Structure formats: C-alpha cells, structure tokens
Amino acid sequence: MRSWRTVDLVGLLALAVLLALPAVAPSWLVGDLAMYLSYALLAVALAFAWGHCGLLSLGHGVFFGIGAYAMGTLTLGMLPGLEAVRSTWLGLVFAVIASGATAWTIGWFTFAGRGLHGAFFGIVTLALAVVFERLAINWDWLGGLNGLMNVPPITLGPNGDGAELWEPVPLFYVMLGVLAATVAGLTAYQRSDRGLALAALRENELRARALGYDTGALKRRAFALSGAVAGLAGALFVVQFGFASPALIGFSLSAEALIWVALGGRGELVSAAVGVIALRLLDSQFSSSLEAWWPLVVGLIFMAVVVLLPRGIVGEAVYRIARQRGR
Amino acid sequence: MHLATLLLDGANAVLILMLVALGLAIVFGLMNVINLAHGEFLMLGAYVVLAAGQAGLPFWVGLALAPPAVALVGLVAEEVLVRHTYTRLLDTILATWGLSLVLRQAAVLLYGPGSHSVVPPDLGAVTIAGSPYPVYRLVVMAISLTAIAATFALFFRTRFGLAARAVIANRAMASCLGIDTRRLDRWTFAVGAGLAGLAGAAMAPLIAVDPQAGLGWLVPAFLAILVGGLGSIAGPLVGAAGIGGLDSLTAAVASPVWAQLAVFVAAILVIRLRPTGLIARRRRES
Amino acid sequence: MADGTLLEIAGLTAGYGGGMVLHGLDLTVGPGEPVALMGRNGVGKTTLLKTVMGLLRPRGGTIRLDGARIDGLPPFRIARAGIAYVPQGREVFADLTVEENLILGDLAAADAGRGYELFPALAERRREPAGRLSGGQQQQLAIARALMARPRLLLLDEPSEGVQPSVVIEMADALAAVAAAEGMAVVLVEQNVDLALRLAGRVVFMDRGRVVAEEGGDALRADPSRLDAHLVL
Ligand SMILES: Nc1ncnc2c1ncn2[C@@H]1O[C@H](COP(=O)(O)OP(=O)(O)OP(=O)(O)O)[C@@H](O)[C@H]1O
Ligand SMILES: [Mg+2]
C-alpha cells in the first residue's frame, strides 16, 4: 500500500468532517456553509494560480463576479436573442466560458514575449478589479449599483424547469461534491507533467524557457483554468444568494480572497479551502461583535502571517506534520 | 466646459499623478518594494489636513504638517513591516496590501466610513483665456512642480541622492563603500510616503476625503509606472503624463467610467507591445 | 616586518548556502604590511575577501581588526572600520560618472581630488559615465575609489585581470607609493607573479580553503622557481 501525503490526508479528513456535519449542525449553519463552499472554490482557484503557478492575482473577484453575472443574466432571460433560455446547466457553461475567456485574454496581454514580472502582473489584475467594479456599477443593463436581483436557484430540468434546489442540506452536498471534485482534479493536474512544468516555471521562468517550454502559453492556460474555476464558484454562489452585485466583481471580494488564501496557505489547495471556511466562520462570529475593529484585526493578522508564516496558518501546520511523518 | 479650464484641470491631474508615481517609483527602484499602501499614504495626507482643520488650525498648517506626519507613518511601517519582506518581492506586495487594509480601516474607525470635505482656502479666481480659474488649483500645480523638482534635486544634486543611486545600481558594492543601506532604505521609504502625503494634502480640498480616497490614485500611478517603464526616473513621469492626460481628456469628452476603461485598455496595450515600458532601461555594460 | 597585527583571522569557516569553501583559515597581516595571496582557481581567495568584507557571514572562527571583532558586522561597518575593497571584476557604477564613483568612496570628502592625484588620467574623464572607460581605467577608478576613504587595509582581488601590462605596472607603483606613505596594509589576490612580487613583502599560498604555505618576498624574488612548488597542484 502506498503511503499518503499529509496534505491529502488532511483533505480527506476535512471532507469527512464536512460530510458528517449536516447530521449535527443546525440547518441555518449548513446553509451558510454551503455558501462558504463557493468562496472556498474561489480560494482554490486563486491558490492554484498563485501558489502553484506563481501568478499572484489581486483581482480574482473579477472572475467570480463574471461567473455570477453570467449565470444571473442567462437564467433571468436577459441575454438578447436568448430570452427563452433559462437553463442552470447552460448558465454554468456560460459562466465558466466567460470567466475563463476573460482570464485568458488578460494572460494574452500580459504574458507575451518575456512577459510582465510576476509582481506587475498583480498590479494589472488589481487595475482589472477596479475597472470591472466601476463598469458593473455603471452598466444599467446589469442593474447598476443594485445589481441583479432575484436570480433563480439551481433548477434540475433542462431549461429552468423541474425541481429547484434550495434546501440547505442538498445544496450543501452539491457544493461539497463540486469542491471536492475540483480540488481532486486540480491536485491531479498539479502533479501531472504539465503541472510540474508550471511549478518549475514558478521557481525559475528563465530556466523553464531554456528547457523549451512555451512559458507564455503555459501561464495563459493555467490562468484561464483558474479564472474558469473562479467563474464556476461565482455561478454557484449566485444561485444560492439570489443576488449578483458589483461588490462581487471588484476590489473587496478580491482582497478578501487574497486574505483567505494567504492565511490558509497558498501552497496547497486543501490549505486554502480549509482556511477560507475557518475564516468565514470566525467572520460570522466576530464581525457583528467587534464591528469595525474586526477588519482591522484581520488586516493585522494578515500582515503578521505574511511576514512570519509565508506558508499560511493551515499550510504551516500541514508542513510541520508532514515533516514529522517524513512525507 | 471651457477649453482652457479643461486643459488646466488636466495639467493639475497629471502633475499630482506624477508626484504619486514618483514616490512609488523611488521606493521600488531603491528597495525593490512594491508599495500597495502608497494610496493610503495619500489618503492619510488628506486626513491630516482634515484633522488640522477640525482642530482649528489654518489650512496651510495642515498642508505643512501632512508630509512629515505621513513620512513618520512610513518610517514606522518600514521598520515594523516592510523590511522583513525585502528579499521576497511578492511578499512586499502582500505586506503593504495588508498595511493598506489596516490604514483604511483605521480611517473608518477614527472618522467613520463616510466622506468629508475640506474647505479650500479662499484665494479667489483668476481669468485665464477668458474663463475664471480658481487660484488654489494653480497653487496645487505649483506645489506639485516644486515637489517634483525638489525630489530630482535630492536624487541628483545631493550626496544622499548619490548614495541612493549607488544602492540602486549595486547594493552590495555600495555597502562595501561604507554606505548604510538600511538607513537609506528607511529614509527613502519615508520620502516616498511623504510625497504621497503631500499629494493627498494638496488635493484634500478638491476631492472627497474618505477611506477609499487612495485607491483611485494607486492604480493609475502603478499603470503610469508600468507604461513609462522603470528603467529611468523619467519613465514614471512620462507614463503619468500619458495616463493622466488620457484620463482627464476622456473624462471630459465622455465620462469618468469610459476614461477609466480607456486608461486600462491603453495601458495593457502598451504592456503587450512594450513590456519594458515606453522609456526602456538602457543596456548596461556588463 | 611591522610589529603588532592589524588583521587577525583565526579558524575562519565560510561558504555559500550549504557548501563550505573556507575550512578553518588562519591569516595575520601587520599594520602597513603588503601581503600577496596566491592559489589556484577556485581555492577560495575571493570568498576569503568577501567574508572579511562582511558580504558573506562566517560560519565559524573570528576576524579581528586591531583586536576588535568585525566578523558578523554588515559591510558598511567594516568599511567604516577602515577596510576598503576592490572586487574581482571591479564593479564600478557604470551609469554614474567617474567623479561620482570617486565621491562614493568617501561621501564626506569635499571633492574627488585625492583620486585624481593618484591616477591623473581619471581627471580628464571626470564627467563621463564610468561604463565608458577602458578596462584598465575602470580598474584604476575602482582602486582610487577604494583609497578615497584612506583605509588602513586594502583588499584587492585580481586587479591585473584584463588590464594591459604597462598599466598594471603603473597601478602597482601608485599603490606602493600610497601604501608606503600612509602605512596602509594590502591584501592582494593575484595570479600575475610580477605584480605580486612588485608589491608584496610576503606571499601567502592558499589551497582548498586554507593557508598552506608562506614565503618571504625577497626569497621569491631571488629564486622564483620556489613559487612553482606551491602553485603546481
Ligand atoms: N556565489 C557563489 N555561490 C556558490 N558557490 C560559489 C559562489 N562563488 C564561488 N563559489 C564556489 O566557491 C569556490 C571558491 O570560489 P572563489 O571565487 O572564492 O575562488 P577563487 O580562489 O577566487 O578563484 P578564482 O581564481 O577563479 O577567482 C569555488 O568552488 C566556486 O565554485
Ligand atoms: Mg576569485
């Protein structure tokens, strides 16, 4: 029998705990957790781009928001010429394609030739977040500042008909399934030849190029994949939340996603996912009691973690356990 | 709007953006730190003016206090936070990003999330090319120009500046010549923060003073640096002229939203076509 | 030989990352004493100078200047304690002018006159970027820059590399004059035997991170074949 990597064991353990949770947790908590799982999906997308590929994105909320707006406009029948189409399934496809294509386009602009230094890529994504938020606020068709209201929940029929999925427990399991499958799939990808090439590129782009890799194309594809996953997260968020607003597409969610991933741990998808769920739970505890002090506390913790624990809190714990086990 | 007014407002925006971009570029050039809290230093400058006004001090006192006060915040931030991340460029982004969140939240806690206005000093208006123009805006331009010139003088006419340029070129060798690079880093960061503080203080009467005030400057300033190129000190200024000019003109003929979109699209086009910026770094003899 | 010691290195261990290059090196240099350091490529001569200068942190052992520990100090403190360094490859600031390079040698100096006295050719090109000078002139500039602050000890790493022989002689004589006049000690790493013997009163041989032998300069000048014994494998 092969011996398991620590991070995989931690992932399986977390999965087991979450699977069992609805049996003991009150249903409002299960509903909240289902929502957090879509944030976890966003964090996983960001951890893949940043931790694995070295593409620090300060604007990952953009792809999440595009996914949410794509799902919303389609299932609300707002797309010109496609008013009759209301399918959740097509909405998911649309969200994934729209966000992935946007990410690919950003990559096309910034990874050409020798490409932008990683740090400056971050700045471009920050600008992207600011611009997209402004656009969403000012675009009346997208509901402007109010956003899209009354986005329908997941419908199981082919075109917006059939059973609706809004009960917390089934929603929770659907979300958990999607998250687990995504983490498993991306992890397998990271450990494949192409994933290893991406990791090599993160460590030393010049050498990767010297070895004959088309690093620009590799990065573009990886970033598009990450954007698509973030778009999927946004689509699955909006069908639960029922409401897509400019806050999802811009600066503040991007900033939060970055904090989740930095605190959880950018190095492993599992750490990022566990980190975001933990942080959201803390957030719901403290944001009302500490009010405006809470973001300040989070910001201070964030700075401390950046300086002292670059692997993140969960990531550091996983690393220490792994070193103990020797695996 | 009258053409002369439009051009003057554009020049105003460009000069302030140059000041902001210059501070960012100095800190990056010397310390290899990407300071995402630079916008918040600008915001702090505006709040210093606001606080001074609330304390009953004249506007000009607030304006004079802002740069040293913000430079002091920069000194502390450098000592406590930034210097621990010098060897990790991406982590400088994260650390200063965290700092920006904290500074914004501190402003919320002290002054609330809403926006405040600072009454501009009553300097009247002059008629330029047939239309009246507020004198205070001309003063802001003069302040920016003076500060930019002073920064150049600091870096090209003083021994401090010479040492700084040596550190930029070859940190290890500069250190071997007896230059205390730590001290230079600290002061450079303070100067960068002070420049942002000055920009924020001068702009305080012309903008809404709120916790988000910095972000709107940070992004264009960074785009200016990317577009202009980091190879020389002229790069950020050229970039700021391009970005600021395009922004003001598009905002005047269309709307601020279109202006922002136009600036972003233009910037990433330049980045695609000339990844090293318009003013590319000169080839060094090795 | 001068009495007392200026530089005293004992049991010095240092290297890069995991691998050690210096393995317990001992060396003493007296005040005003010119010493040449010779050894095959890769034995650790440059590493030794970098470690003395503080560019590399020693793993073990001590370095004393005038009896005071300087190991572990940052380079700028070591420079201010009176050690100047001319690195292998010169490392002049190519984009700065000749004059600016010289001033950087001593930021408290009123002007760069001392450097121009040493190598008058530099004065003619004071406003030009150092990168435009020939290799020999860049080497002169690097030496003049190091001497600006009147160091007590000069560390010179292969100054003859890529420099015309006539210029090498000129440099050696100028250096010898300053060293004699100001009582400056020199540690000269050099492959060029002529230069080493022209300047040094003592030659120290290094192998695999240690000092393995030492000869008086006069003895070597009398019988140059003794050199080969130390340098051949
Ligand atoms: N920056 C570095 N990182 C890792 N190893 C290094 C580094 N610089 C030198 N070395 C190694 O350390 C050893 C000693 O190098 P050093 O430069 O001190 O030799 P040297 O005696 O000056 O040789 P040379 O005559 O070629 O200048 C060599 O094996 C070299 O490969
Ligand atoms: Mg050497």
Side-chain angles (χ1 to χ4, degrees), chain B residues 164-255:
Chain B
R165 285 182 290 139
V167 171
I168 290 174
N170 186 339
R171 180 169 279 265
M173 192 63 230
S175 179
C176 289
L177 293 173
I179 294 169
D180 183 350
T181 53
R182 264 300 296 135
R183 197 164 138 239
L184 209 64
D185 284 340
R186 211 178 288 140
W187 285 107
T188 304
F189 200 78
V191 167
L195 286 178
L198 177 65
M203 288 304 280
L206 308 177
I207 58 173
V209 179
D210 65 40
Q212 314 296 329
L215 198 59
W217 290 96
L218 180 77
V219 169
F222 265 121
L223 293 181
I225 290 181
L226 290 184
V227 165
L230 280 153
S232 68
I233 199 148
L237 298 184
V238 171
I243 295 284
L246 179 64
D247 186 62
S248 330
L249 284 182
T250 320
V253 298
S255 76

Side-chain angles (χ1 to χ4, degrees), chain C residues 16-17 21-22 39-48 50 88 157-158 161 189 191 206:
Chain C
Y16 306 87
V21 175
L22 304 179
R40 286 168 299 117
N41 286 21
V43 297
K45 304 179 300 284
T46 298
T47 306
L48 171 63
K50 281 187 177 169
Q88 192 168 13
D157 200 346
E158 309 218 5
E161 208 174 48
V189 169
Q191 314 268 18
M206 258 182 90

Side-chain angles (χ1 to χ4, degrees), chain C residues 82-84 114 146-154 182-185:
Chain C
I83 302 185
R114 182 174 154 85
L147 293 180
M148 282 295 290
R150 298 177 185 272
R152 287 185 291 164
L153 170 64
L154 177 68
E182 298 180 5
M184 175 181 74

Side-chain angles (χ1 to χ4, degrees), chain B residues 156 159-160 162-167 169-183 282-285, chain C residues 53 55 75-76 79-80 83 85 87 90-91 93-96 100 103-111 131-132 145:
Chain B
F156 289 95
R159 298 257 163 119
F160 170 87
L162 180 59
R165 285 182 290 139
V167 171
N170 186 339
R171 180 169 279 265
M173 192 63 230
S175 179
C176 289
L177 293 173
I179 294 169
D180 183 350
T181 53
R182 264 300 296 135
R183 197 164 138 239
R282 272 177 300 155
R283 271 274 152 78
R284 282 242 178 77
E285 285 106 313
Chain C
M53 203 58 222
L55 290 170
F76 83 91
R80 289 179 187 182
I83 302 185
Y85 177 45
R90 307 182 274 268
E91 306 204 17
F93 299 102
D95 290 343
L96 304 185
E100 286 174 328
I103 296 285
L104 281 164
D106 179 14
L107 283 167
D111 58 45
R132 270 203 236 134
R145 182 180 65 182

